[in-house]
Amino acid sequence: MTLINKKLDRRSFLKVSTLAGGGMMLSFSWLAGCKPTSEEIMTMPKEWFEINSYIKIGENGAVTLFNPNPEFGSNVKTSLPMILAEELDVDWKNVFVEQADFYPERFDRQFTGGSQGIRSGWTPLRTAGATARQLLVNAAAQTWEVPADEITTNAGFVEHVASGKRAGYGEMASLAGTMEALDNETVKLKDISDFKIIGNSKKNVDGKKIVTGKPMFGIDHKVEGMKYAAIVHPPAFGMKLKSFDKSSVTSLPGIQDAFEVKIFKDDYGRNFFDTTTFPEIIAIVGNSTWEVLQAKKNLKAEWEKAPESTFKMAGWSGDVSDVKVPSGLENTSTHSEKMAEYITEPGDILRKNGDPEGAFKSASRVLERTYTAPFLAHNTMEPMNCFADVKGDKAVIFGPTQAPEMILGTIASSLGIPKENIQINLARMGGGFGRRAYSHHMTEAALISQKIQAPVKMVYTREDDMTAGVYRPAYSATYRAALDENNNLLALHVKAGGIPESPIHANRFPAGAVDNYLAEGWQIESNISVGAFRAPGSNFIAGAEQSFLDELAEEMGKDPIEFRLELLKRAETNPVGENNDYDPKRYAGVLELVRDKSNWSTIQNGISRGVSAYFCHSSYVAEVIDVSMKDNQPVVENVYAAVDCGIVVNPDAAANMGEGAIVDGIGNAFFGEMAIENGVPTKSNFDTYRMIRHAEAPKKIEVHFVQNNEAPTGLGEPLFPPVFAALGNSLYKATGKRLYQQPFQPQLIEMKNLKM
C-alpha cells in the first residue's frame, strides 16, 4: 500500500458529513455534488444515500459518481470517475456517471484544457476513493465487532474472512456517513499492481447517447417561451459600431428587437480567458434561429475605426498588467514584414549558456533557417452557442465552456449581479481545442436575456466564429547552428516570436544538451484576438525545432534519431545548466520505442519517412510518419507514435485521443491558414478554409505507450506538436524540398508536377 501525499490539505480533498436520516456523503472540493438526472439506467436503487456530494451509494450497491470537468471529447467524463472507482473498489458495471454543474464554492479547478484533467485529478480522486473505502470498512468493523484491518474489500463488497461475514457497500453506507472524518495521513492508496479498473479500457459513458442523438449539447437546449438571438460583430478587427438602423430588422417577420450589447463594464479588470473579439456588438432577437439569421442579412449598420485602447488583465498566476490594443486595420503582408525585421534585431534573452557569440564567430560554417506559421482558426464542429435566463438578480447559463470559472466574473460584472447568484450548467461540447476557454458567448447571451427579460438561446454562424473568433497566433522562428571543421556542433541559437506572443519554452530540449546555447524571444502588438490553441506555442515551435534538427543531422551526416539520442545522452550525463524542464531518459525512451515500432532502419519501396519528438504538458512523444507519392500527390500512409504520459488510465480512449491529435496535426500542417486583409479574415467557412478530409487521413496509425508507474501527465495535446516536423521531414524525403512555411500545401503545389 502507498501512503497518500501528506502535503495535500485536508479540506482540499475530502469532507464527510452525516445525512439527515442516515446515509453516506462524500463531499470533495474538487468533485462536489449536484442533483443528478440519470437516464436509461437498467437497475436503479430504491434509495440513494447522499447529500451535496459527488458520490451516492444505493442500498443495492450502485454508485453514482459526478464528473466535475466539462467534457469536450477528451473522455474525462469516463476516465476521471475510473480513478475514483478504482480506489473505492467497486465493480465498474455498477457505476453510473453524471455531469456535475459549475459550483465554484465547492470545486477546485472545473476546467478542461492544458491536458490537465487526469494529471490534476490523479491524487485527489485516488485519495477521495480510498477514504470512502476506508469509511465503509470502518462501518463494517463496528457492525460486526471485528478489527478493521481484518476486513477486505472487493468489487463493492466488504468481507471478514475469519467470521465469514460479507456485505455490500449499500448495507454500510448509512453508518459510514455518521463516522468521524479520517485523517488523510492514515488513509492508504492501493498499490499500482492491484489496479483492476485503471489500465483497462472502458467504453465512453456517453457513447450510446451520442450515437442515438440524445440532447446533450448546448445547441440542443430548449425551454418553454425561449427566444432566439443572433449577433453581429464589426466587419473587421480594428473597427467598432458607430450606429445602426433598428427598423431595418424589426419590421421583418418574427423579429422582436435589435439592440447594442456592451460586454465589459469600464471598471472591470479582465482575466486571461476574458479574451473577446469585440466588446460591443449588435443583438437581433426573434422567434426562431432562421428568422434572426435572415434578419441579420438585412441589418443596416455603420462602422468606424476603433481607437487605441488599454485594459487591465490578470494572467495565469493572477498578476495584473496593462494590455494595449493598437488601432488600425492590419494585414498579413505587414505582419510578415514586421516579423522579418524582428529576426534581424536583438530579442529578449530567455536563456543563455556558455559563449554562443564566440562559438558562432569561430565556427567553420553556420546553418541558418527561418520557419513561419499563420493564424489558425479553431473550427469547433458545434458552433458557439449559449442559453441564458436572467431574471432580476439571478441568472442561469447553459452552454459549452472549457473554463466556467474564468468567465464568471465577466458575466457578473456585465450583468451587475453577484457571482453567487449565477448558475452555470455545463453542456457537453462539440469540440474545444482551446476556443471554448474563451466564453464571451456566455456573457453575450446573458446580456441579451437581461435586456429582453426572457430566456434566450444565442447561436453563432460559422462565419461569426471564423471571422470574429480567437485565433492561434502567427509565428516566426530562426534557428542557427555553429559547426566546426569536423562537423561537431558548437552552438545553437533560436530567436522566435509572434503576433502577439513568443512561442519559446526556453528550458526545453535542446537546451541543456549544447554547451553554447542562446534563446531569444520577441512579440508584436496586434488587435487580432488570439488565444490558446491545442498545445499553445508548442504547436509551432516543435515543428520549427524538429525540422531544423533533422536538417542539422543531415548536414552532420548523422541518422536523425541517433543525432537526437546523442544530444539527449549529453543532457543526461553532463547537462548544461540547471533549469532543464525535461527528463532526458524518458525523452530518449520514446525515440527508442518509435524507432523499434516503426522498424525505422527498414523502409519499404516507395515510402519516405520522417521523425520528430517533443516534450510538452509533462509528457514525451516521438512520431514517425510514412509518406508515398501517388499520381504526383503526397499520401500519408502510416503514423507511428510513442508516448510516455505515465500511467494510462483508459487505454482505448487514450489511443483514440492520440489518433485524433495526429489527424488534426496533419490537416493543419497541410492546409491550416487564416490571413488578414485590412482587418478582415480572408476565410469565413469551410469552402475556403481547407480542413483534412476522410480520404486524406493516414491509412494506419499506431499509438504505443511506454509502460511505467509514473503519475499520469498530459495526453490531449502532446501528440499534436510533433506531427508538423515528422510530416515535413517525410515530405522532404519524398520531394527533395525542405518546407519552411506552414501550411505545406501551397509550397507543394508550386513544385513541378505536384498537385493537391
Side-chain angles (χ1 to χ4, degrees), residues 589-658:
V590 293
L591 276 164
E592 292 166 345
L593 181 59
V594 83
R595 179 184 60 190
D596 295 341
K597 295 298 183 181
S598 67
N599 199 8
W600 173 257
S601 60
T602 303
I603 303 177
Q604 298 178 2
N605 290 334
I607 294 293
S608 299
R609 174 167 280 185
V611 67
S612 174
Y614 198 67
F615 164 79
C616 67
H617 300 85
S618 300
S619 293
Y620 304 81
V621 177
E623 294 172 354
V624 168
I625 293 182
D626 291 343
V627 169
S628 66
M629 298 299 296
K630 295 182 179 178
D631 297 326
N632 294 321
Q633 182 172 343
V635 176
V636 180
E637 300 282 350
N638 310 306
V639 181
Y640 304 90
V643 186
D644 185 348
C645 60
I647 294 169
V648 178
V649 173
N650 194 357
D652 282 354
N656 178 262
M657 204 160 19

Side-chain angles (χ1 to χ4, degrees), residues 136-154 156-169 171-172:
L136 292 161
V137 167
N138 292 349
Q142 181 175 315
T143 300
W144 297 334
E145 298 182 343
V146 298
D149 59 7
E150 293 182 4
I151 294 176
T152 59
T153 64
N154 182 45
F157 287 86
V158 285
E159 184 174 10
H160 185 246
V161 176
S163 64
K165 294 180 178 179
R166 187 171 185 263
Y169 282 1
E171 299 175 62
M172 297 296 167

